[in-house]
Each structure stands twice: as C-alpha cells, then as structure tokens.
Amino acid sequence: MAPNTPLLDTVKLPADLRKLEPEQLRQLADELRAETISAVSATGGHLGAGLGVVELTVALHYVFNTPRDVLIWDVGHQAYPHKILTGRRDRIRTLRQGGGLSGFTKRSESEYDPFGAAHAATSISAALGFAVARDKRGDDNHVIAVIGDGSMSAGMAYEAMNNAAETTKRLIVILNDNDMSIAPPVGGMSSYLARLVSSKTYRRMRKAAKTVASALGETIHDVGKKVEEYARTFATGGTFFEELGFHYLGPFDGHDVDNLRRVLENAKEFDGPVLIHAVTKKGKGYAPAENAADKYHGVTKFNVVTGEQSKGASVPSYTKVFAQALVRQAEKDEKIVAITAAMPSGTGLDTFGTKFPDRTYDVGIAEQHAVTFAAGLAADGMKPFCTIYSTFLQRGYDQVVHDVAIQKLPVRFAMDRAGLVGADGATHAGSFDIGYLGALPGFVLMAAADGNELSRMVATCAQIDDTPSAVRYPRGDAEGVLGADADVPLEIGKGRIVREGTKVALLNFGTRMAEAAKAADKLGAMGLSTTLADARFAKPLDEDLIRRLAREHEVLLTIEEGAVGGFGAFVLHFLARDGGLDKGLKIRTLTLPDVFQDHDKPEAQYAAAGLDADAMVAAALLALGRGVNENRA
C-alpha cells in the first residue's frame, strides 16, 4: 500500500519545495522517508543510507537553488530521496531495473545529477572542479559536496580538501557522519569524528548553550540557536579541518531539519571553504533498518510492516565459497592473512574475521593502501589475500604495478564481482581486470568456472609464494558442488578438456562455462561435434592446449566475461606468434561489448553482451558460414 503523502504530492521539483513554509519541512521529511521505504520495498536496493539523509536532502534543496546551485552526492547510495524530490518520483519504482532509474547519481538521467558517482571519495574533487569553473566564469552559484564519514578514510578526499583553500573562496562540504559506510568505518579519522561528537567538553558546552537558549525565550529563539551552534564549534574545534583551510561548523543534529536549514543559510555567507559536520543515523525512522547490523545498507524486496526480506536461493554464492575455502587454507597455514577495503561482508571476509580476528584487516575505503600494505606483509614472509571487488581494485592499480608486480611480491588478489553485476550497472561491473592484470609480467591470473574450481584456485594462490597471483569470480550463486579435490592446488598454467569434439572448440575462461556447455549441446544437436575446454589461466596461458584446439578444429571461440583486450587478445597474440593463424583457423573472441552496459537483470545483460548460449552458437555458425535459421530447418 502506498503511503499517505499529501504534502510530498505537491512537490514535483525543488522549486515546489522552496514554496513551502519552514514549519512544513518536518512533515515533508516524514512523507519523503515513507515514500523511500515504500519504493525500495518494491525494488530492492540501497535503503539505510538514504533514510539517514532525508532531513539533509530536504534542507539542501530548500536552501539552495538547485540545479543552478551544484549539489554533488558522494557514492550515491543515499540519493534515492534526492531523486524523489528532483522530478523522478514517478519512476522511483523502476530503480535498478532495465530501462529504469540508476541506483546512483547519473548525469544522463537528470540535470539535478551534475556529476555521476558510485565509487567513494570523489565528491570533493569534483565539486572543486565545478567551483573553479564557476569562478572562471565570474558566476555566483554555490557548489556543495555531501560526503560520508566512511568515504573520509579515502585519501582522495584529503587531497581535494588540501587543494581547495588555495583554489576557490566558495565551496561547501557537508560531512554526513553516520558512523557507517557499508560496514562500520575504521581508522583514525573515524575515531576523531566520534571523539568530537562524544567528548565531555562538547556535551557540557552544548548543555550550557541549550540552557542559555531556553532562558532567552521564544522571542529570541534564533539567537539562542546561534549561541548553541557557536558553543558547539568552540568546544570541538574541528582543528583538523581548520588546518586544511576550511571553516568548520558542527557537529549538528542531521535530523533536525529546521536547524539544518539555518546552518546552511549561514554557510552561504562564509568567505572561504566551509565544512558542515552533520551527525546522522543510518536507517533513521525505520525500526527494522535501525536495528539491523548493516542498517539495511543493501536490501532485496521486503515487507514494509515486518522488514522481512525476500529470500534468495539456497545455493552458496561465489563469495561464500571463496570465504570458506580461505578459512580452510588458513587453518593449515598461520601465515595467511586477509585484507579488505571496507567490504568485509561483501567480500566474505566477515566469515574469515570471525574465525581469525587477529589475521583480518579492514583498512577502510583505501584500496591504494590495502595493496601496498599487502605488499609489505608479503615482503616480510606473510601470505596476504587482498580481497577487493574487481571494480575497486582499479583504484589501486599503480600500487599493483609499482609495489607488487615489479618486486614480484606474492600478494594474492581475490577479485569478487568480476564481470557483469546486474542491478548495480556499469560503475560496479568488473570488466577490465583480465586486461589490466594480464598485462603485468609475472602475474598468475585465474578465473573459476564453478565453485569447486574457485576453491582449488584459492588453494593454488595459497601455494604460490614467488610471484603475485589473482583469481576472479562473479557475483551470484556458485555453479556445481565442492568435490573431493576442492582444496587441491592446480598445476600452474594448465587448463582442462571438459568434453571432446572435432569441429568446433569452445575455450572458456571463467564462469560462462555453464552457458558454454549449453552451447556445445546445441551445436552437437546440429551435427557439429564440439570440444569444450576450461582455460583456467589467462596468464600463463596453456599453450599446448591452445595449439591442440587450433590444430584439430575448424572453429575456435574464446569466451570471457571481460572487456576487449583480455583473454581472447592473449590467445590471439600467442597464436599469431606461434603460427597458429597461418593455416585457415576460424577464430572468434567473445567478450563484453565495447560499451558501458547499464543496469538490468543478469540474463538480459548477458544476452545483450552476446555471452549466452544462443550467442555462442550463432558465433560458431557465422564462423562456419552458416546462418542460424538454416541450421534450424
């Protein structure tokens, strides 16, 4: 049942919001929260972060003249209320669905999304760019960046702040301090912010200021509010931010929409960059979210009344298979340690951390540090598994090259979410790791065809102790079951023949194996005897296997869930060098298309990418000079 939202129904755009009286904003915030909960219950998605910034979202669009005033949200998990207020309410129940709204901010979606986001800590740098462009034009609009405390563990935020005071006179940064990113934030900055809010000095000064404000009476309520605000800033200091050249204001209650409005109005008048510290509660206003460990950061469809989420399949995910395999290896080898960059649950390292808390390191949203930290551990004899989503490892690529690969340090990279990621779309797709790691001398690069293969690859990584290694695996349910050889390491650089044929060879790298098997069945039914092979390794390649497939078959298809320039390119390069292309072999490389694919259901994404069984069959037939319909006759 849709919530009752009479006031929200009058707000189509922020210009409508700005027609309201200040005393109406509390009701609007309550209705906006109810609508957000209702929408996400129908679509699934990121809920807790948005609930935590409802009042802030209302206040921002009320005070600032968006879209002329530029509002940039860091990451974008929290932007659903923003989307509802900026002309997209009628499509909010299409979130993360094919052809629907993105789960993040997206420039092509709305003029109210001036800068796209999905990875952390980009907002201040982007906002500074907008501010300088404004200054060069001689314009007078405001630029605001909203960044969470979890993102403040990423060095890029400080690089931008360090540059801001020297570069522009007018920039507003709002620190949304909810003491959570996806998992609880870690590190010195998180502790610093917590101390600001919880210090006895702050609480004592705040109580005194409230007493003064109350004694002054209603007629000068605004003055009393300012006394409290100034006492708050005086007590906490915000010294760190002041040293970076920012006027520090706060911390303030991020759910007091009236006070937020006043603070934002004041911030507009400052000469110089301003940082507003707003303390919020992730999942605010929805009891099931507030009481959950992850504050309903990411949810499936759920019952609004009970909060109960739709249950998925009982098949273990690749993430779970990886985590359990790593635990088994660590039980045998005390040198194994695990590192994550603020994603313990997403990478499965919460499981490892429960078993080995003193061997688990969550470094926060700091992939560059994670990689070089792992390199240092490896250099001194430990066996680090650096467990980072493929898309986020891109943020630490220089460290992979400079600190790991050049020194041949045996860091083991476990790359979850490799390939397409359905509803999370282009920003989270792990499309490029085959190319960017396969280009590095000395790397061992594997991709799992199923759960058992992934388990064996974890064992293989644990055994490799003289060079860096990596294993890629996707989001979703693991194919197959663990066998008796689940913990037996693989021979480096050796693939396997899954079934023998004579006419067409399908050489698969990774988890498109089940679809490749279907394609082999369909080709066989057409009278085209088909070999199915599992490459296992993109580096080093199984050259003997590739030679045999090229020599004994008329058509060779390489199959990978990665961008152009990956496994297929490596095979082509080898065959060209080896003379394997000189005798009429028909070879085709099936990869992800050379576009950034939008969010959709996984099966629709694979069909669009040409990586489902039907597309594999069609590619083989075209290589043979036959039409698909011709073979169906």
Side-chain angles (χ1 to χ4, degrees), residues 444 490-495 535-537 539-544:
V444 175
L490 300 170
E491 182 179 353
I492 302 298
K494 289 299 177 182
R536 286 177 166 164
F537 295 85
K539 192 163 191 174
L541 288 172
D542 188 339
E543 296 181 351
D544 291 337

Side-chain angles (χ1 to χ4, degrees), residues 384-407:
F385 277 76
C386 193
T387 309
I388 300 175
Y389 287 9
S390 169
T391 185
F392 296 146
L393 187 58
Q394 294 163 187
R395 295 159 63 96
Y397 186 61
D398 180 65
Q399 287 68 33
V400 174
V401 177
H402 181 268
D403 299 333
V404 176
I406 289 176
Q407 301 188 90

Side-chain angles (χ1 to χ4, degrees), residues 219-408:
T219 56
I220 49 174
H221 175 77
D222 288 354
V223 175
K225 279 283 189 182
K226 287 184 178 180
V227 170
E228 182 186 350
E229 290 168 17
Y230 292 144
R232 182 178 305 188
T233 303
F234 173 78
T236 60
T239 307
F240 179 83
F241 302 108
E242 297 279 358
E243 290 297 326
L244 288 173
F246 277 73
H247 296 284
Y248 172 85
L249 303 176
F252 301 104
D253 180 356
H255 300 296
D256 184 341
V257 67
D258 189 56
N259 194 42
L260 283 175
R261 176 182 60 80
R262 299 168 190 273
V263 171
L264 293 172
E265 290 284 6
N266 291 341
K268 290 166 69 173
E269 306 305 320
F270 273 79
D271 179 24
V274 177
L275 184 136
I276 299 170
H277 183 179
V279 180
T280 63
K281 186 174 183 179
K282 194 170 183 177
K284 174 72 174 179
Y286 184 52
E290 291 188 18
N291 295 329
D294 68 347
K295 308 302 179 188
Y296 275 33
H297 171 76
V299 295
T300 59
K301 297 178 182 180
F302 63 92
N303 182 304
V304 173
V305 176
T306 66
E308 183 179 1
Q309 299 184 48
S310 302
K311 289 183 169 57
S314 59
V315 179
S317 66
Y318 279 101
T319 301
K320 186 174 182 179
V321 171
F322 162 76
Q324 292 174 339
L326 186 59
V327 166
R328 291 195 300 274
Q329 293 300 319
E331 287 173 339
K332 298 182 290 186
D333 190 340
E334 63 182 14
K335 290 186 177 181
I336 290 177
V337 296
I339 301 159
T340 180
M343 298 291 291
S345 59
T347 60
L349 287 194
D350 53 348
T351 298
F352 186 89
T354 299
K355 182 78 173 179
F356 303 108
D358 59 339
R359 292 157 65 180
T360 306
Y361 301 93
D362 183 352
V363 302
I365 303 174
E367 291 84 2
Q368 293 174 306
H369 164 58
V371 173
T372 304
F373 173 47
L377 285 162
D380 206 23
M382 300 300 288
K383 294 185 175 182
F385 277 76
C386 193
T387 309
I388 300 175
Y389 287 9
S390 169
T391 185
F392 296 146
L393 187 58
Q394 294 163 187
R395 295 159 63 96
Y397 186 61
D398 180 65
Q399 287 68 33
V400 174
V401 177
H402 181 268
D403 299 333
V404 176
I406 289 176
Q407 301 188 90
K408 291 199 71 175

Side-chain angles (χ1 to χ4, degrees), residues 322 384-386 388 393 400 404 409-416 433-434 436-438 440 442-448 454 457-458 460-462 464 467-473 509 536-540:
F322 162 76
F385 277 76
C386 193
I388 300 175
L393 187 58
V400 174
V404 176
L409 290 172
V411 175
R412 297 117 179 120
F413 293 95
M415 299 179 295
D416 204 327
D433 58 86
I434 305 172
Y436 72 64
L437 292 185
L440 301 178
F443 242 90
V444 175
L445 178 56
M446 296 171 277
L454 175 56
M457 289 174 181
V458 173
T460 306
C461 286
I464 297 171
T467 199
S469 58
V471 56
R472 71 189 315 259
Y473 48 98
F509 179 63
R536 286 177 166 164
F537 295 85
K539 192 163 191 174

